[in-house]
Amino acid sequence: MLKNDLNDIGAESYEILKDLDSIPMHRGQLYETIVTTQGPVNTKNSAPMGVLCKNNSQIILYLNEGSHTSINILNNQYFIVNITQDPLLFAISTLKDMEDEYYEDYNGMPYLKNTDAFFIAHTEDIKKVVREDKFGTNIIHVTTARVDEIVRINKRAFPLNRGIYSVIETLIHFSRFDLADSETKDKYWNRIKELNRVAQKVGSKKDKEAMHFIIKTLKENFKDLE
Ligand SMILES: Cc1cc2nc3c(=O)[nH]c(=O)nc-3n(C[C@H](O)[C@H](O)[C@H](O)COP(=O)(O)O)c2cc1C
């Protein structure tokens, strides 16, 4: 469906889509998005959040306990996922509270004015999980949600996935490896291992394959890498 109504959602034209595949978010991949929520007394909140695509109509969020996003989602049972590649929106939503002028209204729910697409998600299940990591003990709300309505404002909407950036960064280190002294090689190798961890965790099949290929080639050329 293609709509053309300036007053409707504040965008000149937009499409309502059904499947996550159409934005395109694919099963098993984790995307970096900005989640918008409604707070108490008409406040709105935005924060970058990873969204795992469970299937064509369900997603999973891993919410740190105590964040505004987590509290608002627990209260409202719905949230809005904004699909954008705008670095400033990511930076501003991380570093400060976004003023009202950053938001538009969609049937009483806030989304980001300059987003390329957004969707409404309603929570179906929230599991509280205690996780131990290098920062200590964390409580995470593993939140499964149903995707109800996908609104694409920009036909080129494309969700951020860190896999490709890991591959490109690794290739840059790879191409400088030959020239590096041993201390710099160590630095590059540690960085590549971290980038590989990210790609294996959130990347596509091709990202993972590319990383295996680069690392295999590096190890063949530089025997002491572990
Ligand atoms: C790219 C990116 C992805 C993030 N993903 C998550 C996430 O999946 N879960 C989470 O709880 N915090 C995540 N964060 C951290 C939150 O965005 C951050 O803690 C934020 O300050 C929470 O804001 P809030 O209190 O307004 O909700 C992420 C941050 C960035 C920059």
Side-chain angles (χ1 to χ4, degrees):
M1 178 169 34
L2 185 66
K3 294 211 175 180
N4 256 305
D5 183 348
L6 268 172
N7 301 320
D8 220 349
I9 66 162
E12 271 187 33
S13 70
Y14 63 97
E15 290 167 278
I16 306 286
L17 305 166
K18 280 208 187 100
D19 301 326
L20 286 174
D21 257 339
S22 55
I23 7 178
M25 288 175 81
H26 302 305
R27 191 166 78 93
Q29 277 194 253
L30 190 120
Y31 299 93
E32 307 305 332
T33 71
I34 301 179
V35 167
T36 309
T37 50
Q38 185 71 54
V41 261
N42 218 13
T43 54
K44 301 169 183 71
N45 191 76
S46 289
M49 292 286 152
V51 169
L52 177 66
C53 183
K54 188 175 180 206
N55 55 45
N56 234 343
S57 58
Q58 283 180 305
I59 54 166
I60 299 177
L61 301 190
Y62 298 87
L63 299 169
N64 291 321
E65 185 168 76
S67 69
H68 293 110
T69 304
S70 155
I71 293 166
N72 293 344
I73 291 176
L74 287 172
N75 283 338
N76 301 339
Q77 277 102 49
Y78 79 86
F79 55 95
I80 289 92
V81 175
N82 297 274
I83 305 298
T84 175
Q85 300 245 0
D86 186 331
L88 272 177
L89 285 181
F90 274 96
I92 296 166
S93 63
T94 305
L95 304 179
K96 55 178 247 177
D97 291 333
M98 286 177 127
E99 293 91 5
D100 277 356
E101 57 259 35
Y102 283 98
Y103 297 96
E104 287 285 355
D105 182 89
Y106 181 74
N107 297 335
M109 293 172 277
Y111 71 94
L112 290 179
K113 198 179 270 178
N114 291 323
T115 192
D116 291 326
F118 67 92
F119 59 80
I120 320 294
H122 280 91
T123 55
E124 292 183 319
D125 182 57
I126 301 182
K127 282 196 179 66
K128 205 169 161 171
V129 174
V130 180
R131 213 158 62 174
E132 301 283 342
D133 61 22
K134 61 184 171 189
F135 304 110
T137 306
N138 291 309
I139 297 172
I140 310 282
H141 296 274
V142 181
T143 305
T144 306
R146 185 186 70 243
V147 174
D148 282 333
E149 204 163 349
I150 302 169
V151 180
R152 185 170 64 185
I153 298 164
N154 180 350
K155 276 201 182 316
R156 295 198 192 95
F158 202 81
L160 261 182
N161 174 271
R162 293 167 73 197
I164 181 67
Y165 305 109
S166 300
V167 173
I168 297 300
E169 287 296 315
T170 301
L171 284 171
I172 288 171
H173 293 321
F174 178 92
S175 59
R176 293 173 178 162
F177 220 84
D178 244 351
L179 308 169
D181 59 31
S182 71
E183 197 184 322
T184 312
K185 272 194 183 71
D186 277 353
K187 226 165 68 186
Y188 285 173
W189 179 234
N190 285 331
R191 180 95 181 101
I192 289 170
K193 284 194 286 191
E194 172 58 15
L195 290 164
N196 185 42
R197 189 192 65 78
V198 173
Q200 301 305 327
K201 190 174 158 204
V202 306
S204 67
K205 206 168 153 225
K206 276 189 171 180
D207 295 325
K208 293 174 192 176
E209 241 177 81
M211 289 301 294
H212 282 313
F213 178 43
I214 303 165
I215 287 173
K216 184 171 161 276
T217 309
L218 255 185
K219 282 185 167 172
E220 280 164 9
N221 288 314
F222 302 92
K223 299 289 180 208
D224 51 348
L225 299 177
E226 276 172 35

